Amino acid sequence: MKQTAIAPANIAFLKYWGKKDERLNLPWTDTISMTMDRCTTKTTVSFDSSYKEDTLSVSFYNQQKSEVRDQKKKQKVFDLISRIRTMAGISSHARIVSENSFPSDAGIAASASAFAALTVAGAAAAGLHLTERKLTLLARLGSGSACRSIPDGFVIWEKGVSHETSYAKSLYPPSYWDLFDLVAVVDPGKKAFSSTEGHEYAPTSEFFKERMKHLPKRVSLLKEALKKKDFELLGTLIEEEAKSMHAIALSSQPPIVYWNDGTKQIISCLLELRKTHLLGYYTMDAGPNVHIICQQKDAATITKYIEQLDQVQMVLTNRPCEGARLIEEHLF
Ligand code: 2P0
């Protein structure tokens, strides 16, 4: 059977950085994120006895479809498909075709949206009827952050203590709060260290244990900020968390420096704007691009300022959205 799903990327307010269990992608802390409507992956999966092997092709916005050359990533996709096959008790091979809504040179990690869409389409194509919670467990095995792209809007990934207990769920629907994530792209290039390497090195930082001490309090304050819609508290926590994660990366062995001149230029600009009560708070993933979290009323003005910076190549405007879901339109 053939099924297609669409899934958004997500931006972590509280970060997954370091794995308690590398095989199961179990995080050390609960993490909290927001889905991103402008950055999505659409994936069609079909299982058919006429296929001789599993195949995968991927395309980005405005580009031709191509084979995935990164063998490790490809293997992770096929591993997830094999797991789905086993769960469904089928033996046919799969054809997987995937399309990203954002340009490949935007420097935005596609693994969260990609594995979320693959999980939802793959499970349905194999005839499985899984709960949202079970889908998040499966997506997590493909890529940790992908579990947060299955539920809607504002999402928590409970760290859990085992495969069954490390799942994601929605805290609030997308319409709960008019927040924006303006992604200021400063470097579209491939990063020197993958997230998976960053996770592996994180515990070597002398500050890792210190970070662990602060996380439970930050998790509860962040939940509080969301509950009360306290934007200044939310922004302050988001920035504290981004600095904490990047301090770990910088001080790990080997050290990882994700920031570049553009990152610093944007942070300086946001701090200047804050003096004029224009509130945009920064966070970065495993790369130099800056996600600016702001309220709807300020999004256009902040975008105008950020677009004028010489290091900024483009700004992608995202709002919270529904999580991964099946759609009718197939890619082949
Ligand atoms: C996060 N990141 O919470 C953190 C912040 C990047 C920076 O989760 O090895 O692609 O596939 O489980 O999920 C990116 O790491 O890692 C990530 P794997 P993943 O969003």
Side-chain angles (χ1 to χ4, degrees):
M1 201 165 42
K2 186 190 287 188
Q3 292 284 357
T4 302
I6 186 165
N10 68 78
I11 178 64
F13 295 164
L14 254 155
K15 312 284 193 187
Y16 157 51
W17 201 242
K19 301 183 187 190
K20 200 167 178 184
D21 184 314
E22 279 182 30
R23 190 178 57 89
L24 296 174
N25 290 339
L26 299 187
W28 286 97
T29 175
D30 295 347
T31 74
I32 295 177
S33 62
M34 183 180 102
T35 48
M36 299 163 61
D37 70 342
R38 167 70 178 81
C39 301
T40 58
T41 302
K42 211 183 271 180
T43 299
T44 299
V45 179
S46 85
F47 289 95
D48 194 301
S49 54
S50 68
Y51 300 151
K52 296 205 165 50
E53 55 178 1
D54 293 333
T55 56
L56 168 68
S57 73
V58 175
S59 65
F60 282 85
Y61 179 69
N62 270 351
Q63 285 157 2
Q64 292 292 318
K65 278 193 178 43
S66 64
E67 286 295 307
V68 175
R69 272 180 232 110
D70 182 332
Q71 290 304 319
K72 273 193 190 158
K73 268 194 197 148
K74 207 169 166 177
Q75 195 51 50
K76 280 189 181 177
V77 169
F78 293 153
D79 287 349
L80 194 64
I81 286 294
S82 294
R83 182 175 280 265
I84 289 171
R85 226 180 341 244
T86 306
M87 287 169 76
I90 58 173
S91 56
S92 317
H93 285 295
R95 180 173 175 202
I96 308 151
V97 176
S98 202
E99 218 177 71
N100 288 282
S101 69
F102 45 99
S104 65
D105 60 2
I108 294 170
S111 78
S113 53
F115 278 98
L118 178 73
T119 301
V120 171
L128 292 171
H129 298 282
L130 302 179
T131 59
E132 179 183 277
R133 179 164 165 170
K134 287 253 186 300
L135 288 168
T136 74
L137 301 181
L138 253 186
R140 192 200 73 238
L141 294 174
S143 183
S145 55
C147 69
R148 297 188 311 235
S149 286
I150 302 266
D152 298 342
F154 300 87
V155 173
I156 186 164
W157 170 12
E158 307 266 4
K159 65 178 188 293
V161 290
S162 61
H163 174 59
E164 292 294 332
T165 54
S166 187
Y167 64 94
K169 65 175 183 191
S170 180
L171 286 172
Y172 299 102
S175 59
Y176 175 71
W177 201 352
D178 273 337
L179 294 185
F180 275 63
D181 173 10
L182 310 173
V183 186
V185 176
V186 291
D187 182 2
K190 195 177 179 315
K191 51 198 176 202
F193 290 96
S194 68
S195 306
T196 304
E197 287 168 308
H199 286 298
E200 187 187 333
Y201 308 148
T204 66
S205 163
E206 63 175 318
F207 305 119
F208 189 73
K209 284 208 177 89
E210 190 61 27
R211 169 170 160 75
M212 290 298 121
K213 279 193 228 159
H214 293 281
L215 283 169
K217 178 84 183 155
R218 203 174 285 146
V219 171
S220 66
L221 281 173
L222 216 133
K223 282 184 187 165
E224 196 68 20
L226 282 170
K227 191 172 170 190
K228 292 184 178 156
K229 296 193 189 169
D230 182 338
F231 184 62
E232 288 186 43
L233 176 61
L234 182 85
T236 306
L237 293 165
I238 285 173
E239 289 189 355
E240 264 179 23
E241 175 61 2
K243 285 181 281 190
S244 168
M245 184 212 114
H246 284 267
I248 297 297
L250 190 60
S251 55
S252 66
Q253 292 297 332
I256 310 180
V257 186
Y258 285 121
W259 296 21
N260 66 14
D261 289 349
T263 316
K264 290 179 270 182
Q265 190 183 47
I266 295 165
I267 292 175
S268 301
C269 176
L270 291 173
L271 295 179
E272 282 304 311
L273 293 178
R274 209 169 294 166
K275 290 180 190 162
T276 69
H277 304 288
L278 198 52
L279 301 181
Y281 293 96
Y282 59 84
T283 185
M284 285 73 63
D285 272 342
N289 301 324
V290 181
H291 293 248
I292 301 166
I293 308 301
C294 68
Q295 297 171 99
Q296 179 171 27
K297 66 183 174 64
D298 298 326
T301 316
I302 293 175
T303 302
K304 205 178 71 200
Y305 280 107
I306 296 297
E307 275 176 344
Q308 282 166 8
L309 300 174
D310 62 6
Q311 302 276 335
V312 173
Q313 299 175 6
M314 60 179 137
V315 176
L316 299 172
T317 302
N318 289 274
R319 312 187 64 172
C321 62
E322 272 182 84
R325 60 201 178 277
L326 290 171
I327 56 173
E328 296 294 328
E329 172 204 338
H330 301 309
L331 296 177
F332 63 89

